[in-house]
Amino acid sequence: MKATVHVMLKNGVLDPQGEAVRHALGALGFGGVNGVRQGKVIELDLADGTNEADVTAMCEKLLANTVIESYRVEMS
């Protein structure tokens, strides 16, 4: 089983990496971008018996800083 964890900064938290990407896109001539939010994707290859609750616990304890980040888990 696999899990994909999408981690993003919460709304209202400044995103300097996203702002740098937005600025770079504008410098390259892509003027239609008003905002960029930078995030990360973590792919986990899970052992049999590992469930979504286990992955949620992993996110809460290590994979996401829940003070400033939100996350979404996809199981497949």
Side-chain angles (χ1 to χ4, degrees), residues 38-76:
Q38 175 78 21
K40 59 187 171 187
V41 175
I42 302 165
E43 294 182 347
L44 303 169
D45 187 10
L46 303 172
D48 290 342
T50 306
N51 59 38
E52 189 168 348
D54 296 324
V55 176
T56 297
M58 293 175 199
C59 292
E60 293 287 327
K61 292 182 180 181
L62 176 68
L63 301 179
N65 177 349
T66 57
V67 173
I68 62 170
E69 295 174 321
S70 60
Y71 64 88
R72 176 174 47 91
V73 176
E74 293 178 0
M75 304 290 288
S76 61

Side-chain angles (χ1 to χ4, degrees), residues 22-43:
R22 187 196 62 76
H23 180 72
L25 288 171
L28 292 170
F30 298 103
V33 179
N34 293 326
V36 175
R37 300 293 288 173
Q38 175 78 21
K40 59 187 171 187
V41 175
I42 302 165
E43 294 182 347

